[in-house]
């Protein structure tokens, strides 16, 4: 299931709360942990470890030489989009050797954010392929790093060979409002996609 409904109701006897599961994926060092931490209204759960010399032999740290830690399982956070609607955020590990965790993390996800860095755009190809093959709706969010060349959404879409209609947005993973806007786009897009698929099955 892509959501859970809590048994509690508001003081006015309104609808039960809706909690949606959203994945935050992308390449190594692209800002997944930063995004989850920036938007989460609770203290985020992180499974970061310091990069070791042994890890340098198997992880591609090109372009992120200043990075000293890495996610080895997942990040977790929560944000309330509006009254009665919360998002549970699960950040995936970026290195190839931890991809076996993705299948477990993706169970029940409504949609996903694929974070991209235009300096290393090829690093998000595996995440794009993963969600396309599993028909999980996703939005590509270009994390605008300082010093990185600026590209338009259409340029990024063409470079990634995205399916027509897949949203591409620009964001700053450090900024809560920017991250929240990305998540709203994911919920809206995923909702439209799931509705369209449901209508196809009954049409």
């Amino acid at each position: 299931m892509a959501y859970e409904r809590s048994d509690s109701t508001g003081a006015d006897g309104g609808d039960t709360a809706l909690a949606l599961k959203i994945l935050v994926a992308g390449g190594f060092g692209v800002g997944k942990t930063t995004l989850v931490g920036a938007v989460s209204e609770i203290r985020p759960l992180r499974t970061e470890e310091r990069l070791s010399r042994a890890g340098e032999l198997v992880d591609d740290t090109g372009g992120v030489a200043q990075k000293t830690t890495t996610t080895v399982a997942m990040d977790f956070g929560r944000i309330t989009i509006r009254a009665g609607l919360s998002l549970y955020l699960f950040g995936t590990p970026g290195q190839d050797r931890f991809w076996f965790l993705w299948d477990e993390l993706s169970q029940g996800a409504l949609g996903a954010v694929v974070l991209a860095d235009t300096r290393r755009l090829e690093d998000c190809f595996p995440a794009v392929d993963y969600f396309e093959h599993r028909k999980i709706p996703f939005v590509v969010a270009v994390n605008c790093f300082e010093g990185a060349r600026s590209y338009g959404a259409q340029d990024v879409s063409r470079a990634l060979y995205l399916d027509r209609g897949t949203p591409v947005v620009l964001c700053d993973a450090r900024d809560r409002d920017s991250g929240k806007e990305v998540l709203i786009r994911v919920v809206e897009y995923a909702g439209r996609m799931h509705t369209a698929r449901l209508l196809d099955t009954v049409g």
Side-chain angles (χ1 to χ4, degrees):
M1 295 292 289
Y3 63 87
E4 296 178 357
R5 291 184 182 274
S6 82
D7 293 330
S8 61
T9 57
D12 59 356
D15 294 336
T16 56
L18 185 64
L20 305 174
K21 181 178 182 180
I22 301 294
L23 299 185
V24 180
F28 180 58
V30 78
K32 301 180 294 296
T33 298
T34 299
L35 176 63
V36 173
V39 302
S40 181
E41 62 198 15
I42 62 172
R43 183 178 181 179
L45 169 66
R46 293 173 174 166
T47 57
E48 287 198 309
E49 297 291 341
R50 292 191 63 82
L51 287 171
S52 65
R53 296 186 65 87
E56 292 176 358
L57 300 176
V58 292
D59 295 329
D60 182 6
T61 58
V64 287
Q66 74 282 3
K67 187 172 174 61
T68 60
T69 61
T70 184
T71 299
V72 296
M74 69 173 186
D75 299 309
F76 174 77
R78 186 189 71 207
I79 179 174
T80 301
I81 297 297
R82 58 173 171 75
L85 176 60
S86 298
L87 304 183
Y88 292 158
L89 309 176
F90 291 80
T92 66
Q95 305 99 304
D96 298 4
R97 58 195 170 110
F98 294 125
W99 280 351
F100 68 91
L101 295 170
W102 284 39
D103 286 340
E104 186 69 25
L105 291 175
S106 66
Q107 291 295 319
L110 175 79
V113 177
V114 175
L115 272 177
D117 178 353
T118 57
R119 300 169 301 179
R120 300 177 290 119
L121 199 57
E122 67 280 0
D123 288 0
C124 68
F125 271 115
V128 168
D129 290 342
Y130 182 90
F131 296 127
E132 284 184 344
H133 284 116
R134 287 160 181 79
K135 300 188 183 303
I136 298 175
F138 66 94
V139 167
V140 173
V142 179
N143 193 7
C144 299
F145 287 90
E146 287 186 23
R149 183 177 174 182
S150 178
Y151 292 91
Q154 290 186 343
D155 295 327
V156 174
S157 181
R158 285 193 296 267
L160 293 176
Y161 304 101
L162 297 178
D163 291 340
R164 184 176 180 180
T166 302
V168 177
V169 297
L170 306 182
C171 75
D172 182 343
R174 302 166 299 180
D175 183 78
R176 188 176 193 275
D177 289 337
S178 180
K180 185 175 179 179
E181 285 300 315
V182 171
L183 295 172
I184 291 173
R185 287 291 300 274
V186 173
V187 172
E188 292 175 343
Y189 177 63
R192 291 196 302 270
M193 293 294 290
H194 284 294
T195 298
R197 292 170 186 170
L198 180 61
L199 292 174
D200 284 344
T201 61
V202 299

